[in-house]
Amino acid sequence: MHSCKWRTPVARYAACVTARKTSVRSITQSHAHPSKLRNLAICAHIDSGKTTLTESILLKSSFISTPGSVDTGSTTTDFLPAERERGITIQSASIPVKWKDWTFNLIDTPGHADFGMEVESASRVVDGAVVLIDSVEGVEAQTKGVWQQLDRYGVPSRILVLNKLDRPGASFHSSILSVLAHRIHPMPVVLTLPIASFDPQDYSRGEPGIQGIVDLVKWELWRWSLDGSLSRHKLATSVEEIKESQVLPPNHPLIPHLIPARTALLEGLAMLSSEFMEHLLELPPHPSAYLSVTASTIIPLLRSATLKSDILPVLCGSAIKHMGTESIMDYAGELLASPLDVSHEAGTSRFPVRLLAWKVSWDRRRGWMTFVRVYSGTLSRQSVLSNSSRGVKERVSKLLLFYASEAEEVEELPFGSVGVILGLKHTRTGDTLVSTHGLSRESPFPGITPPPATMSASVIPQTHADLEPVEDALNALIRTDPSIRMETHEGQLLVHSLGALHLEIVEGRLKDEWGAKCEIGRRRVAYRESIGPDESQPSLVEWTTNVGGKNVTASVSFSLRPLLDNEVGDGTWDDNIVLRDNGRPLRHPDALQDERNPWTHISRGIASTLSSSPHTSFPLSRSRIQVMGFEHPSNVPNSILGGASAIILRDHVKNRGRGPIMEPYTKIRVSVDSDVLGQVIKDLVEHGGEIVDLAESSLPLDEETSTPYSQEGVYIPPKWLSPSAMSSVGVEDHSIRLKRPVCAFTPLSQMLDYSTRLRAITGGHGQFETAAAGFRAVNPVRELEILNEIGRA
């Protein structure tokens, strides 16, 4: 066994990868038929086992010979030094994996909310997802966050995996209830049941965790021995024969529940298919009749229902012990969508090339790497592509398939595949690339919208000479991570991010990857301002400047007002709505590169004004701005419209007066002992928190999702199915004080040091989880505090 404990992460990684390389690295996608391709993401709340499951999949598919560990920093997909040091996933990693006759383009995504942009970009290009739940914790804040991201990008098929069933306190029963309580899906359908132990006595003792599973579809039992080897056994078609077969002891408590579990599965599918309903009705009226229905009959029905999101298949296992991994891979291939199953991708290799750039990364040796998904056609080396999002041409230098941090050069990327292009100079995340013949005039795909920034800090170069290199490094970092935003304010360089941890990673990447000599200043939340209500003051409609020694006048007329409560802002415009004179949305300047187009310069001018209010210097948000018309001399460059639109719009905003100030809020759920509950509530209220729930059990924070889905028609396994959960409850009543959850909305500015405060109040026994809750207008008292803080009172 090779040791992976070196002093430096890089040395440790190099040694571990060398130890784990196998002879099957020649896994090149041999142009698998699109029906056998599965572009899928592994998503979950942080610490639910995503990277561990990915490692287990790589082991079972013979991609590696020895699995890595998150704890030792030796996993395949977490290869950045910061990932290995912290034991978390920071950026998504893609690996093509062969399993049976399927090819999986597997994307391991981060679970921390601060790296939500990585999940956004991955969700945009996958056709299916494997969503993990920690079966001890159930559905958590970021579980719902990633689920909503998958909804937003229309990912059609998903599988839910109840992971970590080997842990004390894990509960299959409670996990299914949490799926309904948090309104993840109204129809979770259990496909596999865990066998906690093959010794019936262990169920009364509450041990161990998981030793096998029962596949209710294929009607077979999987058993893992102490050395990790797997044996599979076909189950008999009657309870009496199952008892006689000795696959399970005759008195095993699971045996009487096998028929009800399979009955619930089949009858649930029958509700979605009249033909299958008739088939079941024709079976003899015997309790074991449903056991004779074959997997070849069930799986097509399961696949159809999964693709339509009528059901949510539920699997179980323990990724760290490699239990259930093969089952997950089998059902991912059998149930998740292929590129041919998604309506807007029904192309073939005969179609002209059309790609979406879903991620851009920088490598010191290879340069800029653009991760793409091929939506039609076949991309070849040395091709010339048109970036229809930016109006520029790009030349492909090389094509790569990436195996986490390692790459293999290929001659082409076929339809449906995920790969990497080298040599693109202008392409950014969310851009559409098309062949220069046939599709160059096609409108681009809908872009990938970064989550709004919630925190900012100053970037301080060590010397004046370091300022320009630091700015260049920041611009390069922004190209790789569009959720980062940079601005210069009153001579100070500011960087905006998704959270405190995100800022730490930004600082580390600037120094480690680009060698920038700088420090990150004090953290500050990113406030917003809306436009004021006063329309009485006249505003500019013309702007005069000197061009080539002559005064030139340009005019741009605007109509603007605050957004109504029921109006939804555009995320690309920081929750504003920006319209052209014809009422259609104006694209953000990041998506406009044609210098001859006057709208490119008007868009830049509007973006400049929206980035900094004349009253507070905060970005403007929740505003509706429409360009009613513009005019400038024909012999003057269109660029004059950029300055005109910026200054005229700024004058409009200034004359309307300062609008409401908004600050980012966070949803928080705190779990504490009953004896300190009052102190925790008092602390939250004193720091501006709004208590919304003091329930005895974990319930959703969202008001609109506070009513759980009905349990009617859903098979919910008994509590004792996970005996350690029953045991832990009994122990808790006697030796551990009862935990009580507190749910609240709190200003993010008051929660930057909350872990320290909670540790002091609870003696280190309290736990909490948070999720972004958008921006809220502040009250007059809080507004005065914010203005004093920035010196604008």
Side-chain angles (χ1 to χ4, degrees):
M1 187 78 178
H2 295 270
S3 173
C4 293
K5 294 185 178 180
W6 265 261
R7 290 186 177 181
T8 68
V10 174
R12 183 169 66 242
Y13 169 62
C16 292
V17 167
T18 301
R20 288 164 32 237
K21 277 186 179 178
T22 70
S23 60
V24 295
R25 182 49 55 92
S26 56
I27 202 174
T28 306
Q29 287 176 302
S30 56
H31 300 338
H33 191 273
S35 65
K36 295 299 182 181
L37 276 177
R38 298 292 182 268
N39 295 312
L40 63 95
I42 299 182
C43 310
H45 184 87
I46 190 171
D47 200 30
S48 295
K50 297 178 302 301
T51 301
T52 303
L53 176 61
T54 303
E55 202 73 10
S56 182
I57 289 174
L58 298 181
L59 175 70
K60 295 301 181 181
S61 63
S62 299
F63 185 89
I64 57 176
S65 58
T66 304
S69 166
V70 173
D71 295 331
T72 60
S74 56
T75 59
T76 306
T77 52
D78 285 351
F79 53 85
L80 292 180
E83 292 177 314
R84 295 177 176 276
E85 289 172 358
R86 297 172 184 269
I88 61 173
T89 301
I90 291 173
Q91 67 174 16
S92 55
S94 175
I95 296 183
V97 174
K98 288 289 291 184
W99 176 249
K100 297 184 177 177
D101 60 344
W102 296 295
T103 296
F104 298 148
N105 287 318
L106 195 68
I107 301 177
D108 178 25
T109 64
H112 199 289
D114 281 18
F115 310 109
M117 183 61 200
E118 295 287 328
V119 186
E120 287 277 341
S121 59
S123 300
R124 179 62 186 81
V125 295
V126 296
D127 306 317
V130 175
V131 181
L132 270 67
I133 286 181
D134 182 336
S135 54
V136 177
E137 305 295 339
V139 173
E140 299 175 85
Q142 194 59 13
T143 311
K144 293 192 290 181
V146 299
W147 194 268
Q148 290 165 359
Q149 288 173 309
L150 294 170
D151 285 341
R152 186 159 56 249
Y153 291 105
V155 177
S157 55
R158 301 165 210 180
I159 290 174
L160 189 72
V161 176
L162 306 184
N163 190 30
K164 299 190 176 184
L165 279 167
D166 58 299
R167 290 182 58 196
S171 173
F172 199 117
H173 172 89
S174 297
S175 296
I176 294 293
L177 289 180
S178 74
V179 169
L180 298 173
H182 291 269
R183 297 177 67 88
I184 294 296
H185 198 282
M187 190 53 65
V189 175
V190 175
L191 304 188
T192 61
L193 289 175
I195 302 173
S197 174
F198 286 88
D199 182 355
Q201 299 301 317
D202 285 339
Y203 282 83
S204 60
R205 293 192 289 261
E207 56 184 39
I210 180 172
Q211 292 183 354
I213 62 172
V214 173
D215 188 324
L216 297 174
V217 176
K218 299 170 184 174
W219 202 236
E220 59 185 16
L221 182 148
W222 298 29
R223 179 171 185 167
W224 284 271
S225 60
L226 292 177
D227 63 1
S229 60
L230 169 65
S231 60
R232 299 169 66 166
H233 309 271
K234 294 296 292 184
L235 291 175
T237 54
S238 71
V239 172
E240 294 76 14
E241 292 177 358
I242 293 174
K243 291 181 179 179
E244 293 173 1
S245 68
Q246 299 297 313
V247 175
L248 285 170
N251 61 336
H252 197 284
L254 186 59
I255 292 178
H257 287 269
L258 293 179
I259 289 181
R262 196 170 210 242
T263 299
L265 166 64
L266 299 186
E267 291 185 348
L269 290 175
M271 297 301 293
L272 304 172
S273 169
S274 58
E275 292 182 4
F276 188 58
M277 175 71 79
E278 292 177 4
H279 176 69
L280 294 185
L281 292 175
E282 292 172 357
L283 295 175
H286 188 274
S288 301
Y290 282 1
L291 303 187
S292 63
V293 182
T294 62
S296 60
T297 303
I298 300 172
I299 288 177
L301 297 170
L302 275 175
R303 177 173 172 78
S304 175
T306 303
L307 295 180
K308 296 175 183 176
S309 297
D310 290 336
I311 65 169
L312 175 62
V314 179
L315 306 175
C316 64
S318 169
I320 198 168
K321 292 188 175 181
H322 312 294
M323 294 182 176
T325 302
E326 297 101 323
S327 175
I328 294 170
M329 297 166 74
D330 285 344
Y331 281 113
E334 289 164 344
L335 304 184
L336 294 183
S338 74
L340 295 176
D341 295 315
V342 183
S343 58
H344 64 271
E345 299 166 19
T348 69
S349 59
R350 296 190 299 272
F351 279 56
V353 175
R354 196 174 189 200
L355 326 167
L356 179 74
W358 62 275
K359 178 182 171 71
V360 178
S361 184
W362 168 258
D363 182 85
R364 288 183 180 178
R365 184 165 58 88
R366 300 183 182 96
W368 287 109
M369 304 186 300
T370 305
F371 290 74
V372 297
R373 161 74 189 269
V374 182
Y375 281 94
S376 68
T378 298
L379 177 65
S380 303
R381 286 183 56 196
Q382 303 301 322
S383 301
V384 176
L385 297 173
S386 173
N387 185 324
S388 59
S389 301
R390 302 185 179 275
V392 296
K393 288 187 177 182
E394 298 269 33
R395 178 175 290 278
V396 176
S397 172
K398 293 181 180 179
L399 299 177
L400 306 175
L401 288 181
F402 250 77
Y403 305 90
S405 64
E406 299 181 46
E408 175 186 342
E409 190 171 342
V410 295
E411 291 298 317
E412 59 183 29
L413 293 177
F415 163 66
S417 63
V418 174
V420 176
I421 301 176
L422 300 186
L424 305 189
K425 298 179 180 179
H426 308 287
T427 300
R428 292 179 174 248
T429 299
D431 286 358
T432 299
L433 297 162
V434 298
S435 60
T436 53
H437 304 287
L439 280 176
S440 59
R441 295 183 180 179
E442 287 278 337
S443 60
F445 288 116
I448 300 170
T449 304
T454 60
M455 192 166 292
S456 62
S458 58
V459 181
I460 308 167
Q462 291 183 1
T463 66
H464 183 72
D466 295 323
L467 177 59
E468 186 174 349
V470 168
E471 289 181 337
D472 292 342
L474 268 172
N475 282 320
L477 185 57
I478 290 169
R479 186 176 174 187
T480 69
D481 185 355
S483 62
I484 301 169
R485 190 165 59 85
M486 177 183 68
E487 69 169 322
T488 302
H489 174 59
E490 296 178 353
Q492 191 176 38
L493 195 60
L494 297 179
V495 61
H496 304 275
S497 71
L498 301 183
L501 178 58
H502 198 193
L503 277 177
E504 292 180 26
I505 299 302
V506 167
E507 182 177 16
R509 293 188 67 184
L510 285 174
K511 294 178 178 179
D512 297 339
E513 296 181 36
W514 281 277
K517 298 178 181 179
C518 62
E519 301 294 334
I520 298 292
R522 185 173 66 90
R523 295 173 296 167
R524 191 182 78 178
V525 301
Y527 300 108
R528 298 285 191 274
E529 180 192 330
S530 185
I531 62 172
D534 186 9
E535 298 182 81
S536 61
Q537 298 293 326
S539 300
L540 290 175
V541 293
E542 294 183 344
W543 176 63
T544 301
T545 186
N546 191 282
V547 178
K550 297 180 180 180
N551 288 336
V552 176
T553 299
S555 66
V556 184
S557 56
F558 290 99
S559 170
L560 62 158
R561 62 170 173 81
L563 285 184
L564 304 178
D565 292 339
N566 61 350
E567 289 184 293
V568 179
D570 185 343
T572 60
W573 282 103
D574 208 358
D575 220 19
N576 296 289
I577 293 178
V578 182
L579 306 174
R580 294 175 50 159
D581 51 357
N582 58 8
R584 299 180 63 180
L586 175 61
R587 292 168 65 188
H588 194 273
D590 286 346
L592 292 169
Q593 297 294 319
D594 186 357
E595 299 295 328
R596 296 169 298 179
N597 187 348
W599 289 106
T600 298
H601 302 283
I602 293 174
S603 179
R604 289 174 183 168
I606 294 173
S608 174
T609 296
L610 292 179
S611 68
S612 178
S613 161
H615 307 289
T616 60
S617 297
F618 297 150
L620 289 162
S621 187
R622 299 296 298 166
S623 306
R624 183 186 184 277
I625 299 166
Q626 182 171 2
V627 182
M628 306 306 293
F630 63 89
E631 188 176 348
H632 72 290
S634 58
N635 60 344
V636 175
N638 288 332
S639 58
I640 191 176
L641 291 172
S645 57
I647 291 174
I648 292 172
L649 179 59
R650 188 173 182 85
D651 187 66
H652 273 274
V653 173
K654 185 175 182 180
N655 288 338
R656 292 183 70 101
R658 179 168 53 79
I661 292 177
M662 297 173 286
E663 69 174 320
Y665 268 65
T666 182
K667 296 179 289 189
I668 185 168
R669 179 180 284 110
V670 190
S671 180
V672 296
D673 299 330
S674 297
D675 57 348
V676 295
L677 181 66
Q679 298 177 54
V680 170
I681 293 174
K682 179 174 180 289
D683 175 77
L684 289 172
V685 173
E686 287 178 347
H687 288 84
E690 172 190 340
I691 308 298
V692 295
D693 190 19
L694 292 173
E696 294 290 343
S697 61
S698 179
L699 292 174
L701 280 172
D702 308 276
E703 295 178 5
E704 68 274 14
T705 60
S706 58
T707 304
Y709 282 130
S710 171
Q711 298 179 20
E712 184 178 355
V714 178
Y715 175 70
I716 300 176
K719 292 182 179 179
W720 55 259
L721 191 69
S722 305
S724 65
M726 298 292 292
S727 173
S728 65
V729 170
V731 173
E732 183 180 63
D733 291 338
H734 297 92
S735 63
I736 301 178
R737 292 168 291 184
L738 182 65
K739 294 283 186 180
R740 290 287 301 277
V742 181
C743 303
F745 288 100
T746 57
L748 178 61
S749 60
Q750 303 298 307
M751 305 305 292
L752 301 182
D753 62 345
Y754 188 67
S755 59
T756 303
R757 300 205 315 262
L758 184 63
R759 192 181 304 115
I761 295 172
T762 65
H765 294 289
Q767 296 177 325
F768 73 98
E769 57 178 293
T770 63
F775 286 79
R776 290 187 176 188
V778 302
N779 58 43
V781 175
R782 177 63 183 144
E783 186 175 281
L784 184 60
E785 291 176 356
I786 294 173
L787 293 175
N788 280 326
E789 179 184 332
I790 64 172
R792 295 291 184 98

